[in-house]
Amino acid sequence: MPLTKATVLTDRFDRALLYATHVHGGQVRKGTNTPYVAHLLAAAATVLEYGGDEDLAIAALLHDSVEDQGGKARLDDVRNRFGEGVARIVEACSDSLADTGKGERKAHWQERKEAYLAHLRTADEDIYGYRSQTRFTMPAASFVI
């Protein structure tokens, strides 16, 4: 397989990594002592290894920020800091926009997951509407690590 042009990561990626680390602060992976940011780094690495661009890598770092840490207000902050494209991907990867820190309740987990799985049937177009302009070909379901 011929090598393609390398994805260049700019200070936007650096800022997204710092932001993700801040947002997920002291979180650890369920049932482990592994810092949550390890999962986010693995997601970003997977995107980059499959040829994703910087926006997709940033979205991978932030893919859990909305559903886990602030809901709609967090999504608006992601949009403001990293742009509409990143925000669209993050929103499409989120199963809830509830801000649990403000007392908003998420739907039951099974209902959220079933709706999310149904969403994945069309997520490729929803998330990667501009994909024809990129070389990224990893299926959307791969984002769910």
Side-chain angles (χ1 to χ4, degrees):
M1 170 183 265
L3 293 177
T4 59
K5 184 178 175 185
T7 299
V8 175
L9 299 177
T10 68
D11 66 317
R12 283 179 71 236
F13 183 87
D14 297 342
R15 286 184 284 125
L17 178 55
L18 288 172
Y19 184 80
T21 302
H22 171 76
V23 166
H24 292 282
Q27 276 185 280
V28 294
R29 294 286 286 168
K30 289 180 186 171
T32 75
N33 289 326
T34 304
Y36 197 80
V37 72
H39 163 66
L40 305 175
L41 289 166
T46 300
V47 165
L48 292 168
E49 287 171 1
Y50 277 85
D53 65 13
E54 184 177 47
D55 274 359
L56 290 168
I58 289 171
L61 289 173
L62 305 178
H63 78 274
D64 282 337
S65 63
V66 171
E67 70 183 55
D68 292 348
Q69 301 294 329
K72 174 88 170 68
R74 177 69 63 198
L75 180 62
D76 291 342
D77 192 40
V78 166
R79 181 175 288 109
N80 183 52
R81 291 172 187 261
F82 303 104
E84 181 63 31
V86 169
R88 283 184 57 229
I89 297 165
V90 170
E91 182 175 15
C93 291
S94 300
D95 69 8
S96 173
L97 295 180
D99 185 346
T100 57
K102 290 187 176 178
E104 297 174 8
R105 297 186 57 93
K106 292 181 181 182
H108 184 268
W109 71 267
Q110 186 170 359
E111 180 183 334
R112 289 193 332 267
K113 300 308 177 190
E114 287 173 357
Y116 185 75
L117 288 173
H119 161 74
L120 285 179
R121 291 185 189 97
T122 60
D124 217 27
E125 289 126 30
D126 294 344
I127 298 171
Y128 308 121
Y130 67 94
R131 188 173 79 172
S132 62
Q133 300 167 8
T134 72
R135 63 188 188 287
F136 188 73
T137 59
M138 188 174 81
S142 298
F143 241 110
V144 187
I145 297 175

